[in-house]
PDB file of all heavy atoms in Angstrom:
ATOM      1  N   ALA A1290       0.806  -1.160   0.064  1.00 87.00           N
ATOM      2  CA  ALA A1290      -0.030  -0.002  -0.021  1.00 87.00           C
ATOM      3  C   ALA A1290       0.803   1.298  -0.029  1.00 87.00           C
ATOM      4  O   ALA A1290       0.554   2.219  -0.718  1.00 87.00           O
ATOM      5  CB  ALA A1290      -0.881  -0.017   1.162  1.00 87.00           C
ATOM      6  N   ALA A1291       1.896   1.222   0.867  1.00 89.00           N
ATOM      7  CA  ALA A1291       2.773   2.473   0.933  1.00 89.00           C
ATOM      8  C   ALA A1291       3.491   2.680  -0.430  1.00 89.00           C
ATOM      9  O   ALA A1291       3.558   3.840  -0.896  1.00 89.00           O
ATOM     10  CB  ALA A1291       3.803   2.230   2.022  1.00 89.00           C
ATOM     11  N   ILE A1292       3.979   1.593  -1.058  1.00 87.00           N
ATOM     12  CA  ILE A1292       4.662   1.795  -2.315  1.00 87.00           C
ATOM     13  C   ILE A1292       3.666   2.150  -3.422  1.00 87.00           C
ATOM     14  O   ILE A1292       4.032   2.952  -4.324  1.00 87.00           O
ATOM     15  CB  ILE A1292       5.384   0.443  -2.677  1.00 87.00           C
ATOM     16  CG1 ILE A1292       6.577   0.344  -1.627  1.00 87.00           C
ATOM     17  CG2 ILE A1292       6.042   0.516  -4.076  1.00 87.00           C
ATOM     18  CD1 ILE A1292       7.317  -0.908  -1.766  1.00 87.00           C
ATOM     19  N   ALA A1293       2.530   1.558  -3.474  1.00 88.00           N
ATOM     20  CA  ALA A1293       1.522   1.879  -4.456  1.00 88.00           C
ATOM     21  C   ALA A1293       1.227   3.346  -4.526  1.00 88.00           C
ATOM     22  O   ALA A1293       0.853   3.968  -5.478  1.00 88.00           O
ATOM     23  CB  ALA A1293       0.336   0.986  -4.333  1.00 88.00           C
ATOM     24  N   ALA A1294       1.192   3.930  -3.302  1.00 90.00           N
ATOM     25  CA  ALA A1294       0.854   5.369  -3.123  1.00 90.00           C
ATOM     26  C   ALA A1294       1.917   6.214  -3.851  1.00 90.00           C
ATOM     27  O   ALA A1294       1.455   7.376  -4.328  1.00 90.00           O
ATOM     28  CB  ALA A1294       0.773   5.682  -1.690  1.00 90.00           C
ATOM     29  N   VAL A1295       3.054   5.816  -3.992  1.00 89.00           N
ATOM     30  CA  VAL A1295       4.049   6.718  -4.652  1.00 89.00           C
ATOM     31  C   VAL A1295       4.478   6.215  -6.032  1.00 89.00           C
ATOM     32  O   VAL A1295       5.001   7.011  -6.864  1.00 89.00           O
ATOM     33  CB  VAL A1295       5.350   6.800  -3.740  1.00 89.00           C
ATOM     34  CG1 VAL A1295       5.013   7.506  -2.404  1.00 89.00           C
ATOM     35  CG2 VAL A1295       6.014   5.462  -3.484  1.00 89.00           C
ATOM     36  N   ALA A1296       4.294   4.885  -6.277  1.00 88.00           N
ATOM     37  CA  ALA A1296       4.726   4.357  -7.639  1.00 88.00           C
ATOM     38  C   ALA A1296       3.731   3.705  -8.482  1.00 88.00           C
ATOM     39  O   ALA A1296       3.880   3.444  -9.590  1.00 88.00           O
ATOM     40  CB  ALA A1296       5.847   3.301  -7.407  1.00 88.00           C
ATOM     41  N   GLY A1297       2.494   3.575  -7.942  1.00 87.00           N
ATOM     42  CA  GLY A1297       1.364   3.065  -8.803  1.00 87.00           C
ATOM     43  C   GLY A1297       1.684   1.681  -9.282  1.00 87.00           C
ATOM     44  O   GLY A1297       2.225   0.814  -8.563  1.00 87.00           O
ATOM     45  N   THR A1298       1.451   1.494 -10.581  1.00 81.00           N
ATOM     46  CA  THR A1298       1.635   0.192 -11.224  1.00 81.00           C
ATOM     47  C   THR A1298       3.039  -0.076 -11.624  1.00 81.00           C
ATOM     48  O   THR A1298       3.360  -1.134 -12.128  1.00 81.00           O
ATOM     49  CB  THR A1298       0.708   0.043 -12.422  1.00 81.00           C
ATOM     50  OG1 THR A1298       0.975   1.100 -13.293  1.00 81.00           O
ATOM     51  CG2 THR A1298      -0.760   0.104 -11.995  1.00 81.00           C
ATOM     52  N   ARG A1299       3.935   0.925 -11.477  1.00 85.00           N
ATOM     53  CA  ARG A1299       5.384   0.668 -11.775  1.00 85.00           C
ATOM     54  C   ARG A1299       6.080  -0.196 -10.878  1.00 85.00           C
ATOM     55  O   ARG A1299       7.146  -0.706 -11.115  1.00 85.00           O
ATOM     56  CB  ARG A1299       6.074   2.005 -11.939  1.00 85.00           C
ATOM     57  CG  ARG A1299       5.732   2.799 -13.170  1.00 85.00           C
ATOM     58  CD  ARG A1299       6.596   4.082 -13.282  1.00 85.00           C
ATOM     59  NE  ARG A1299       6.382   4.845 -14.482  1.00 85.00           N
ATOM     60  CZ  ARG A1299       7.001   4.533 -15.615  1.00 85.00           C
ATOM     61  NH1 ARG A1299       7.848   3.602 -15.717  1.00 85.00           N
ATOM     62  NH2 ARG A1299       6.717   5.300 -16.724  1.00 85.00           N
ATOM     63  N   ALA A1300       5.527  -0.459  -9.649  1.00 85.00           N
ATOM     64  CA  ALA A1300       6.194  -1.242  -8.663  1.00 85.00           C
ATOM     65  C   ALA A1300       5.558  -2.562  -8.467  1.00 85.00           C
ATOM     66  O   ALA A1300       4.325  -2.699  -8.453  1.00 85.00           O
ATOM     67  CB  ALA A1300       6.207  -0.484  -7.359  1.00 85.00           C
ATOM     68  N   THR A1301       6.382  -3.594  -8.339  1.00 84.00           N
ATOM     69  CA  THR A1301       5.981  -4.961  -8.014  1.00 84.00           C
ATOM     70  C   THR A1301       6.612  -5.419  -6.732  1.00 84.00           C
ATOM     71  O   THR A1301       7.888  -5.351  -6.621  1.00 84.00           O
ATOM     72  CB  THR A1301       6.253  -5.960  -9.098  1.00 84.00           C
ATOM     73  OG1 THR A1301       5.700  -5.527 -10.312  1.00 84.00           O
ATOM     74  CG2 THR A1301       5.790  -7.361  -8.759  1.00 84.00           C
ATOM     75  N   VAL A1302       5.796  -5.738  -5.695  1.00 83.00           N
ATOM     76  CA  VAL A1302       6.396  -6.186  -4.426  1.00 83.00           C
ATOM     77  C   VAL A1302       6.417  -7.689  -4.267  1.00 83.00           C
ATOM     78  O   VAL A1302       5.401  -8.324  -4.542  1.00 83.00           O
ATOM     79  CB  VAL A1302       5.593  -5.498  -3.233  1.00 83.00           C
ATOM     80  CG1 VAL A1302       6.101  -5.900  -1.972  1.00 83.00           C
ATOM     81  CG2 VAL A1302       5.516  -3.995  -3.475  1.00 83.00           C
ATOM     82  N   ARG A1303       7.597  -8.217  -3.823  1.00 78.00           N
ATOM     83  CA  ARG A1303       7.689  -9.632  -3.625  1.00 78.00           C
ATOM     84  C   ARG A1303       8.372  -9.897  -2.289  1.00 78.00           C
ATOM     85  O   ARG A1303       9.264  -9.176  -1.948  1.00 78.00           O
ATOM     86  CB  ARG A1303       8.531 -10.232  -4.746  1.00 78.00           C
ATOM     87  CG  ARG A1303       7.929 -10.029  -6.192  1.00 78.00           C
ATOM     88  CD  ARG A1303       8.934 -10.358  -7.254  1.00 78.00           C
ATOM     89  NE  ARG A1303       8.431 -10.245  -8.602  1.00 78.00           N
ATOM     90  CZ  ARG A1303       9.150 -10.273  -9.708  1.00 78.00           C
ATOM     91  NH1 ARG A1303      10.460 -10.299  -9.687  1.00 78.00           N
ATOM     92  NH2 ARG A1303       8.545 -10.115 -10.873  1.00 78.00           N
ATOM     93  N   ARG A1304       7.950 -10.968  -1.697  1.00 74.00           N
ATOM     94  CA  ARG A1304       8.555 -11.346  -0.444  1.00 74.00           C
ATOM     95  C   ARG A1304       9.258 -12.670  -0.651  1.00 74.00           C
ATOM     96  O   ARG A1304       8.635 -13.679  -1.206  1.00 74.00           O
ATOM     97  CB  ARG A1304       7.521 -11.503   0.740  1.00 74.00           C
ATOM     98  CG  ARG A1304       8.192 -11.953   2.075  1.00 74.00           C
ATOM     99  CD  ARG A1304       7.167 -12.184   3.122  1.00 74.00           C
ATOM    100  NE  ARG A1304       6.702 -10.898   3.621  1.00 74.00           N
ATOM    101  CZ  ARG A1304       7.297 -10.127   4.536  1.00 74.00           C
ATOM    102  NH1 ARG A1304       8.437 -10.495   5.035  1.00 74.00           N
ATOM    103  NH2 ARG A1304       6.744  -8.980   4.983  1.00 74.00           N
ATOM    104  N   THR A1305      10.508 -12.810  -0.221  1.00 68.00           N
ATOM    105  CA  THR A1305      11.271 -14.085  -0.159  1.00 68.00           C
ATOM    106  C   THR A1305      11.758 -14.264   1.146  1.00 68.00           C
ATOM    107  O   THR A1305      12.673 -13.640   1.711  1.00 68.00           O
ATOM    108  CB  THR A1305      12.480 -13.939  -1.146  1.00 68.00           C
ATOM    109  OG1 THR A1305      11.972 -13.619  -2.462  1.00 68.00           O
ATOM    110  CG2 THR A1305      13.218 -15.295  -1.202  1.00 68.00           C
ATOM    111  N   GLY A1306      11.179 -15.186   1.996  1.00 68.00           N
ATOM    112  CA  GLY A1306      11.462 -15.435   3.389  1.00 68.00           C
ATOM    113  C   GLY A1306      11.160 -14.078   4.156  1.00 68.00           C
ATOM    114  O   GLY A1306      10.039 -13.526   4.135  1.00 68.00           O
ATOM    115  N   ASP A1307      12.189 -13.624   4.813  1.00 74.00           N
ATOM    116  CA  ASP A1307      12.035 -12.374   5.636  1.00 74.00           C
ATOM    117  C   ASP A1307      12.369 -11.098   4.769  1.00 74.00           C
ATOM    118  O   ASP A1307      12.230  -9.986   5.377  1.00 74.00           O
ATOM    119  CB  ASP A1307      12.971 -12.422   6.871  1.00 74.00           C
ATOM    120  CG  ASP A1307      12.545 -13.481   7.824  1.00 74.00           C
ATOM    121  OD1 ASP A1307      11.454 -13.875   7.833  1.00 74.00           O
ATOM    122  OD2 ASP A1307      13.469 -13.919   8.632  1.00 74.00           O
ATOM    123  N   ARG A1308      12.728 -11.227   3.624  1.00 77.00           N
ATOM    124  CA  ARG A1308      13.190 -10.120   2.774  1.00 77.00           C
ATOM    125  C   ARG A1308      12.068  -9.662   1.839  1.00 77.00           C
ATOM    126  O   ARG A1308      11.400 -10.467   1.221  1.00 77.00           O
ATOM    127  CB  ARG A1308      14.353 -10.489   1.952  1.00 77.00           C
ATOM    128  CG  ARG A1308      14.977  -9.283   1.229  1.00 77.00           C
ATOM    129  CD  ARG A1308      16.247  -9.678   0.455  1.00 77.00           C
ATOM    130  NE  ARG A1308      17.263 -10.045   1.346  1.00 77.00           N
ATOM    131  CZ  ARG A1308      18.070  -9.169   2.015  1.00 77.00           C
ATOM    132  NH1 ARG A1308      17.849  -7.854   1.797  1.00 77.00           N
ATOM    133  NH2 ARG A1308      18.991  -9.644   2.796  1.00 77.00           N
ATOM    134  N   ILE A1309      11.848  -8.422   1.748  1.00 82.00           N
ATOM    135  CA  ILE A1309      10.838  -7.769   0.838  1.00 82.00           C
ATOM    136  C   ILE A1309      11.649  -7.104  -0.263  1.00 82.00           C
ATOM    137  O   ILE A1309      12.525  -6.301  -0.035  1.00 82.00           O
ATOM    138  CB  ILE A1309       9.926  -6.821   1.529  1.00 82.00           C
ATOM    139  CG1 ILE A1309       9.045  -7.545   2.561  1.00 82.00           C
ATOM    140  CG2 ILE A1309       9.107  -6.061   0.463  1.00 82.00           C
ATOM    141  CD1 ILE A1309       8.135  -6.570   3.314  1.00 82.00           C
ATOM    142  N   GLY A1310      11.297  -7.459  -1.538  1.00 83.00           N
ATOM    143  CA  GLY A1310      11.908  -6.849  -2.700  1.00 83.00           C
ATOM    144  C   GLY A1310      10.935  -6.059  -3.509  1.00 83.00           C
ATOM    145  O   GLY A1310       9.773  -6.506  -3.572  1.00 83.00           O
ATOM    146  N   VAL A1311      11.351  -4.990  -4.093  1.00 85.00           N
ATOM    147  CA  VAL A1311      10.549  -4.202  -4.928  1.00 85.00           C
ATOM    148  C   VAL A1311      11.171  -4.065  -6.258  1.00 85.00           C
ATOM    149  O   VAL A1311      12.332  -3.614  -6.371  1.00 85.00           O
ATOM    150  CB  VAL A1311      10.287  -2.718  -4.380  1.00 85.00           C
ATOM    151  CG1 VAL A1311       9.349  -1.967  -5.301  1.00 85.00           C
ATOM    152  CG2 VAL A1311       9.657  -2.838  -2.995  1.00 85.00           C
ATOM    153  N   VAL A1312      10.504  -4.495  -7.303  1.00 82.00           N
ATOM    154  CA  VAL A1312      10.938  -4.300  -8.716  1.00 82.00           C
ATOM    155  C   VAL A1312      10.295  -3.109  -9.286  1.00 82.00           C
ATOM    156  O   VAL A1312       9.046  -3.101  -9.371  1.00 82.00           O
ATOM    157  CB  VAL A1312      10.722  -5.561  -9.545  1.00 82.00           C
ATOM    158  CG1 VAL A1312      11.217  -5.329 -10.971  1.00 82.00           C
ATOM    159  CG2 VAL A1312      11.369  -6.787  -8.954  1.00 82.00           C
ATOM    160  N   LEU A1313      11.048  -2.070  -9.643  1.00 83.00           N
ATOM    161  CA  LEU A1313      10.473  -0.820 -10.044  1.00 83.00           C
ATOM    162  C   LEU A1313      10.760  -0.608 -11.521  1.00 83.00           C
ATOM    163  O   LEU A1313      11.943  -0.569 -11.957  1.00 83.00           O
ATOM    164  CB  LEU A1313      11.164   0.383  -9.257  1.00 83.00           C
ATOM    165  CG  LEU A1313      10.621   1.778  -9.426  1.00 83.00           C
ATOM    166  CD1 LEU A1313       9.149   1.768  -8.936  1.00 83.00           C
ATOM    167  CD2 LEU A1313      11.412   2.690  -8.609  1.00 83.00           C
ATOM    168  N   ASP A1314       9.705  -0.533 -12.325  1.00 81.00           N
ATOM    169  CA  ASP A1314       9.845  -0.392 -13.787  1.00 81.00           C
ATOM    170  C   ASP A1314      10.007   1.067 -14.108  1.00 81.00           C
ATOM    171  O   ASP A1314       9.063   1.916 -14.004  1.00 81.00           O
ATOM    172  CB  ASP A1314       8.572  -0.917 -14.433  1.00 81.00           C
ATOM    173  CG  ASP A1314       8.614  -0.806 -15.947  1.00 81.00           C
ATOM    174  OD1 ASP A1314       9.752  -0.491 -16.539  1.00 81.00           O
ATOM    175  OD2 ASP A1314       7.576  -1.006 -16.655  1.00 81.00           O
ATOM    176  N   ALA A1315      11.257   1.531 -14.562  1.00 79.00           N
ATOM    177  CA  ALA A1315      11.568   2.803 -14.924  1.00 79.00           C
ATOM    178  C   ALA A1315      11.569   3.082 -16.462  1.00 79.00           C
ATOM    179  O   ALA A1315      12.073   4.073 -16.910  1.00 79.00           O
ATOM    180  CB  ALA A1315      12.843   3.217 -14.300  1.00 79.00           C
ATOM    181  N   THR A1316      10.981   2.199 -17.185  1.00 76.00           N
ATOM    182  CA  THR A1316      10.885   2.295 -18.644  1.00 76.00           C
ATOM    183  C   THR A1316      10.332   3.649 -19.095  1.00 76.00           C
ATOM    184  O   THR A1316       9.240   4.009 -18.620  1.00 76.00           O
ATOM    185  CB  THR A1316      10.169   1.125 -19.255  1.00 76.00           C
ATOM    186  OG1 THR A1316      10.733  -0.062 -18.917  1.00 76.00           O
ATOM    187  CG2 THR A1316      10.046   1.262 -20.813  1.00 76.00           C
ATOM    188  N   GLY A1317      11.060   4.341 -19.896  1.00 72.00           N
ATOM    189  CA  GLY A1317      10.591   5.631 -20.551  1.00 72.00           C
ATOM    190  C   GLY A1317      10.787   6.769 -19.661  1.00 72.00           C
ATOM    191  O   GLY A1317      10.444   7.931 -20.048  1.00 72.00           O
ATOM    192  N   LEU A1318      11.268   6.697 -18.425  1.00 78.00           N
ATOM    193  CA  LEU A1318      11.511   7.789 -17.532  1.00 78.00           C
ATOM    194  C   LEU A1318      12.919   8.393 -17.763  1.00 78.00           C
ATOM    195  O   LEU A1318      13.852   7.649 -18.042  1.00 78.00           O
ATOM    196  CB  LEU A1318      11.440   7.372 -16.074  1.00 78.00           C
ATOM    197  CG  LEU A1318      10.075   6.911 -15.562  1.00 78.00           C
ATOM    198  CD1 LEU A1318      10.252   6.493 -14.048  1.00 78.00           C
ATOM    199  CD2 LEU A1318       8.967   7.857 -15.727  1.00 78.00           C
ATOM    200  N   ALA A1319      12.928   9.683 -17.666  1.00 77.00           N
ATOM    201  CA  ALA A1319      14.214  10.462 -17.765  1.00 77.00           C
ATOM    202  C   ALA A1319      14.962  10.126 -16.507  1.00 77.00           C
ATOM    203  O   ALA A1319      14.414   9.716 -15.463  1.00 77.00           O
ATOM    204  CB  ALA A1319      13.942  11.937 -17.900  1.00 77.00           C
ATOM    205  N   PRO A1320      16.349  10.244 -16.576  1.00 78.00           N
ATOM    206  CA  PRO A1320      17.110   9.955 -15.410  1.00 78.00           C
ATOM    207  C   PRO A1320      16.715  10.621 -14.129  1.00 78.00           C
ATOM    208  O   PRO A1320      16.629   9.969 -13.060  1.00 78.00           O
ATOM    209  CB  PRO A1320      18.575  10.336 -15.848  1.00 78.00           C
ATOM    210  CG  PRO A1320      18.564  10.264 -17.320  1.00 78.00           C
ATOM    211  CD  PRO A1320      17.169  10.612 -17.758  1.00 78.00           C
ATOM    212  N   ALA A1321      16.380  11.889 -14.196  1.00 81.00           N
ATOM    213  CA  ALA A1321      15.941  12.633 -13.028  1.00 81.00           C
ATOM    214  C   ALA A1321      14.735  12.083 -12.405  1.00 81.00           C
ATOM    215  O   ALA A1321      14.489  11.951 -11.208  1.00 81.00           O
ATOM    216  CB  ALA A1321      15.804  14.192 -13.296  1.00 81.00           C
ATOM    217  N   ALA A1322      13.712  11.734 -13.260  1.00 84.00           N
ATOM    218  CA  ALA A1322      12.411  11.199 -12.882  1.00 84.00           C
ATOM    219  C   ALA A1322      12.587   9.838 -12.256  1.00 84.00           C
ATOM    220  O   ALA A1322      11.969   9.472 -11.275  1.00 84.00           O
ATOM    221  CB  ALA A1322      11.437  11.221 -13.998  1.00 84.00           C
ATOM    222  N   ARG A1323      13.537   8.994 -12.899  1.00 84.00           N
ATOM    223  CA  ARG A1323      13.734   7.651 -12.400  1.00 84.00           C
ATOM    224  C   ARG A1323      14.360   7.697 -10.984  1.00 84.00           C
ATOM    225  O   ARG A1323      13.946   7.011 -10.069  1.00 84.00           O
ATOM    226  CB  ARG A1323      14.712   7.043 -13.382  1.00 84.00           C
ATOM    227  CG  ARG A1323      15.149   5.538 -12.942  1.00 84.00           C
ATOM    228  CD  ARG A1323      16.280   5.075 -13.731  1.00 84.00           C
ATOM    229  NE  ARG A1323      17.485   5.948 -13.563  1.00 84.00           N
ATOM    230  CZ  ARG A1323      18.283   6.281 -14.553  1.00 84.00           C
ATOM    231  NH1 ARG A1323      18.126   5.923 -15.760  1.00 84.00           N
ATOM    232  NH2 ARG A1323      19.343   7.047 -14.177  1.00 84.00           N
ATOM    233  N   ASP A1324      15.343   8.654 -10.814  1.00 86.00           N
ATOM    234  CA  ASP A1324      15.990   8.768  -9.547  1.00 86.00           C
ATOM    235  C   ASP A1324      15.008   9.236  -8.487  1.00 86.00           C
ATOM    236  O   ASP A1324      15.047   8.747  -7.297  1.00 86.00           O
ATOM    237  CB  ASP A1324      17.172   9.722  -9.564  1.00 86.00           C
ATOM    238  CG  ASP A1324      18.306   9.189 -10.498  1.00 86.00           C
ATOM    239  OD1 ASP A1324      18.309   7.927 -10.757  1.00 86.00           O
ATOM    240  OD2 ASP A1324      19.188   9.969 -10.860  1.00 86.00           O
ATOM    241  N   ALA A1325      14.159  10.107  -8.847  1.00 89.00           N
ATOM    242  CA  ALA A1325      13.153  10.635  -7.887  1.00 89.00           C
ATOM    243  C   ALA A1325      12.172   9.564  -7.434  1.00 89.00           C
ATOM    244  O   ALA A1325      11.806   9.436  -6.311  1.00 89.00           O
ATOM    245  CB  ALA A1325      12.426  11.869  -8.473  1.00 89.00           C
ATOM    246  N   LEU A1326      11.709   8.749  -8.430  1.00 89.00           N
ATOM    247  CA  LEU A1326      10.807   7.669  -8.143  1.00 89.00           C
ATOM    248  C   LEU A1326      11.486   6.668  -7.253  1.00 89.00           C
ATOM    249  O   LEU A1326      10.912   6.138  -6.275  1.00 89.00           O
ATOM    250  CB  LEU A1326      10.342   6.951  -9.429  1.00 89.00           C
ATOM    251  CG  LEU A1326       9.318   5.902  -9.282  1.00 89.00           C
ATOM    252  CD1 LEU A1326       8.058   6.368  -8.623  1.00 89.00           C
ATOM    253  CD2 LEU A1326       8.989   5.245 -10.645  1.00 89.00           C
ATOM    254  N   GLU A1327      12.725   6.315  -7.536  1.00 89.00           N
ATOM    255  CA  GLU A1327      13.417   5.339  -6.668  1.00 89.00           C
ATOM    256  C   GLU A1327      13.649   5.850  -5.237  1.00 89.00           C
ATOM    257  O   GLU A1327      13.387   5.068  -4.288  1.00 89.00           O
ATOM    258  CB  GLU A1327      14.811   5.003  -7.327  1.00 89.00           C
ATOM    259  CG  GLU A1327      15.662   3.967  -6.498  1.00 89.00           C
ATOM    260  CD  GLU A1327      16.964   3.705  -7.063  1.00 89.00           C
ATOM    261  OE1 GLU A1327      17.315   4.395  -8.070  1.00 89.00           O
ATOM    262  OE2 GLU A1327      17.630   2.876  -6.510  1.00 89.00           O
ATOM    263  N   ALA A1328      13.913   7.101  -5.089  1.00 90.00           N
ATOM    264  CA  ALA A1328      14.072   7.721  -3.760  1.00 90.00           C
ATOM    265  C   ALA A1328      12.716   7.631  -3.036  1.00 90.00           C
ATOM    266  O   ALA A1328      12.721   7.398  -1.814  1.00 90.00           O
ATOM    267  CB  ALA A1328      14.581   9.145  -3.875  1.00 90.00           C
ATOM    268  N   ALA A1329      11.586   8.007  -3.688  1.00 92.00           N
ATOM    269  CA  ALA A1329      10.305   7.974  -3.034  1.00 92.00           C
ATOM    270  C   ALA A1329       9.919   6.593  -2.599  1.00 92.00           C
ATOM    271  O   ALA A1329       9.331   6.403  -1.523  1.00 92.00           O
ATOM    272  CB  ALA A1329       9.259   8.490  -4.047  1.00 92.00           C
ATOM    273  N   VAL A1330      10.257   5.466  -3.316  1.00 90.00           N
ATOM    274  CA  VAL A1330       9.898   4.182  -2.953  1.00 90.00           C
ATOM    275  C   VAL A1330      10.803   3.769  -1.838  1.00 90.00           C
ATOM    276  O   VAL A1330      10.229   3.126  -0.818  1.00 90.00           O
ATOM    277  CB  VAL A1330      10.170   3.218  -4.223  1.00 90.00           C
ATOM    278  CG1 VAL A1330      10.115   1.767  -3.728  1.00 90.00           C
ATOM    279  CG2 VAL A1330       9.137   3.477  -5.260  1.00 90.00           C
ATOM    280  N   LYS A1331      12.060   4.119  -1.769  1.00 90.00           N
ATOM    281  CA  LYS A1331      12.921   3.811  -0.684  1.00 90.00           C
ATOM    282  C   LYS A1331      12.446   4.453   0.577  1.00 90.00           C
ATOM    283  O   LYS A1331      12.521   3.914   1.713  1.00 90.00           O
ATOM    284  CB  LYS A1331      14.366   4.139  -0.976  1.00 90.00           C
ATOM    285  CG  LYS A1331      14.973   3.211  -1.988  1.00 90.00           C
ATOM    286  CD  LYS A1331      16.471   3.627  -2.251  1.00 90.00           C
ATOM    287  CE  LYS A1331      17.085   2.636  -3.231  1.00 90.00           C
ATOM    288  NZ  LYS A1331      18.505   2.956  -3.576  1.00 90.00           N
ATOM    289  N   ALA A1332      11.983   5.706   0.457  1.00 91.00           N
ATOM    290  CA  ALA A1332      11.453   6.439   1.634  1.00 91.00           C
ATOM    291  C   ALA A1332      10.197   5.788   2.147  1.00 91.00           C
ATOM    292  O   ALA A1332       9.940   5.731   3.357  1.00 91.00           O
ATOM    293  CB  ALA A1332      11.236   7.947   1.261  1.00 91.00           C
ATOM    294  N   ALA A1333       9.278   5.275   1.227  1.00 89.00           N
ATOM    295  CA  ALA A1333       8.051   4.723   1.644  1.00 89.00           C
ATOM    296  C   ALA A1333       8.255   3.379   2.322  1.00 89.00           C
ATOM    297  O   ALA A1333       7.452   2.988   3.160  1.00 89.00           O
ATOM    298  CB  ALA A1333       7.136   4.528   0.397  1.00 89.00           C
TER     299      ALA A1333
END
């Protein structure tokens, strides 16, 4: 829920054991927008 609020459908959340991974699709984004989106997901 927290990640969907900042990344919408660009993020896929997966759990492997105790670890949570997020695959973030940055296709088509400019470098600055990609970096901002990654930072927002990490903060969330």
